[in-house]
């Protein structure tokens, strides 16, 4: 029998989730009547949650679907894992999860159940491990002409998964970042860093490391926001520091 305290907490959290879902659905339906091009980000800002959670709630409520959501729902029903769906659709783990409805996920004060935390961690580790493997393979090969787009996508998927993770600059300054669309917003910086700039810095880093070399420091990347991108790349394992550098 379920303990009284746990049952009370579950009922409270389920009710809280239901309230948020009703608010999201109402805003969605109102916007849809005005303009069919509904802004999930606008709803997210209004409710104080992320656009991915807005979509997940709308799918759970059964009021939102598109070609991608139907494809993912079909794959999920076939018993495909999140990772298999990622490989087949080319979407990030976060995007795949946002297209799947909540089942027993606690929403509100408890954002997710322990199983979901564990799954998120596994997804992060899987993406990062695959990214490092592909990067190291390219570093050892001196014949490549350009970084393949598949590797760019792996890097971007990893960057999406490491949002809110704490990083430290070369000057020992702590920071986090968030991704909105194709822009990175760093906690210590007002101006955003575009996805194009991030990939440019990544390509420069790969060029510098051709043949297994290291990189002396952020300035070597030669791009806007390098002081933040360097520790992120370092944490993701896609760059290594030059041995004789400080």
């Amino acid at each position: 029998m379920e303990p009284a305290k746990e049952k009370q907490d579950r009922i409270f959290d389920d009710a809280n989730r239901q309230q948020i879902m009703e608010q999201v659905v109402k805003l969605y339906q109102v916007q849809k009547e005005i303009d069919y091009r509904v802004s999930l980000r606008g709803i997210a800002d209004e409710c104080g949650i992320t656009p991915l959670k807005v979509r997940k709630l709308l799918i759970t409520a059964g009021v939102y679907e598109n070609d991608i959501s139907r494809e993912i729902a079909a794959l999920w029903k076939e018993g495909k894992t999140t990772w298999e769906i990622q490989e087949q659709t080319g979407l990030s783990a976060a995007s795949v999860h946002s297209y799947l409805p909540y089942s027993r996920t606690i929403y509100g004060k408890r954002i997710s159940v322990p199983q979901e935390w564990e799954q998120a961690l596994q997804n992060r580790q899987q993406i990062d491990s695959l990214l490092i493997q592909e990067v190291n393979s390219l570093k050892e090969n001196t014949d490549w002409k350009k970084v393949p787009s598949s590797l760019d996508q792996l890097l971007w998927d990893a960057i999406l998964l490491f949002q809110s993770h704490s990083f430290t600059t070369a000057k020992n300054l702590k920071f986090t970042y968030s991704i909105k669309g194709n822009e990175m917003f760093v906690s210590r910086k007002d101006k955003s860093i575009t996805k194009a700039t991030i990939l440019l810095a990544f390509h420069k880093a790969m060029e510098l490391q051709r043949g297994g070399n290291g990189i002396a420091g952020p300035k070597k990347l030669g791009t806007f926001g390098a002081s933040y991108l360097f520790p992120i790349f370092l944490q993701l394992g896609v760059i290594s520091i030059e041995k004789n550098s400080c």
Side-chain angles (χ1 to χ4, degrees):
M1 185 175 181
E2 184 179 15
K5 179 64 169 63
E6 291 183 12
K7 182 177 180 180
Q8 185 179 22
D9 287 346
R10 177 178 58 77
I11 291 173
F12 172 81
D13 284 331
D14 285 350
N16 194 24
R17 180 181 68 175
Q18 186 64 32
Q19 288 175 359
I20 296 172
M21 184 184 294
E22 288 173 0
Q23 182 184 7
V24 166
V25 170
K26 184 177 180 180
L27 287 170
Y28 176 76
Q29 291 175 334
V30 168
Q31 283 195 26
K32 198 170 183 180
E33 288 178 5
I34 300 172
D35 189 342
Y36 72 94
R37 294 167 298 182
V38 178
S39 169
L40 298 188
R41 179 167 295 284
I43 296 175
D45 291 341
E46 183 81 14
C47 298
I49 56 179
T50 67
L52 293 185
K53 284 189 171 66
V54 167
R55 183 163 61 204
K56 193 175 184 74
L57 284 168
L58 292 173
I59 288 174
T60 302
V63 298
Y64 178 97
E65 68 172 9
N66 57 20
D67 291 341
I68 298 175
S69 68
R70 286 188 286 271
E71 180 184 5
I72 290 176
L75 291 171
W76 188 257
K77 286 179 181 178
E78 290 174 11
K80 302 289 186 182
T81 65
T82 302
W83 180 248
E84 289 172 333
I85 295 175
Q86 281 180 250
E87 290 214 299
Q88 186 159 336
T89 62
L91 295 172
S92 67
S95 290
V96 170
H97 278 296
S98 73
Y99 281 105
L100 294 171
Y102 285 102
S103 50
R104 289 287 306 180
T105 303
I106 303 301
Y107 199 89
K109 286 193 174 182
R110 294 180 178 86
I111 297 299
S112 55
V113 295
Q115 291 91 334
E116 195 159 323
W117 293 338
E118 185 178 348
Q119 183 64 55
L121 181 59
Q122 288 176 354
N123 288 336
R124 178 185 287 184
Q125 290 172 335
Q126 285 177 328
I127 284 287
D128 200 31
S129 176
L130 186 56
L131 174 64
I132 293 171
Q133 179 182 332
E134 293 296 323
V135 164
N136 287 340
S137 176
L138 197 62
K139 282 181 185 178
E140 294 168 2
N141 183 356
T142 58
D143 297 328
W144 56 274
K145 303 298 182 183
K146 59 181 291 188
V147 176
S149 58
S150 58
L151 189 51
D152 284 346
Q153 187 59 52
L154 269 177
L155 175 75
W156 188 247
D157 287 345
I159 284 175
L160 287 171
L161 288 174
F162 274 82
Q163 291 181 82
S164 301
H165 185 84
S166 181
F167 297 90
T168 305
T169 68
K171 294 183 178 180
N172 206 32
L173 299 174
K174 297 285 186 182
F175 72 93
T176 59
Y177 68 81
S178 61
I179 300 296
K180 295 180 181 179
N182 287 326
E183 295 180 282
M184 173 185 285
F185 291 85
V186 177
S187 58
R188 305 187 65 91
K189 195 175 187 65
D190 292 331
K191 191 174 180 181
S192 67
I193 306 171
T194 65
K195 180 179 180 179
T197 298
I198 294 169
L199 293 180
L200 181 64
F202 177 52
H203 291 184
K204 178 66 174 179
M206 291 304 299
E207 181 66 39
L208 290 170
Q209 295 179 105
R210 189 190 292 268
N213 298 315
I215 302 177
K219 290 183 179 180
K220 293 293 183 179
L221 297 180
T223 56
F224 175 77
S227 58
Y228 299 104
L229 297 178
F230 188 83
I232 292 172
F233 290 171
L234 197 61
Q235 180 70 39
L236 294 180
V238 300
I239 64 173
S240 55
I241 299 176
E242 197 174 85
K243 292 182 179 180
N244 59 357
S245 64
C246 297

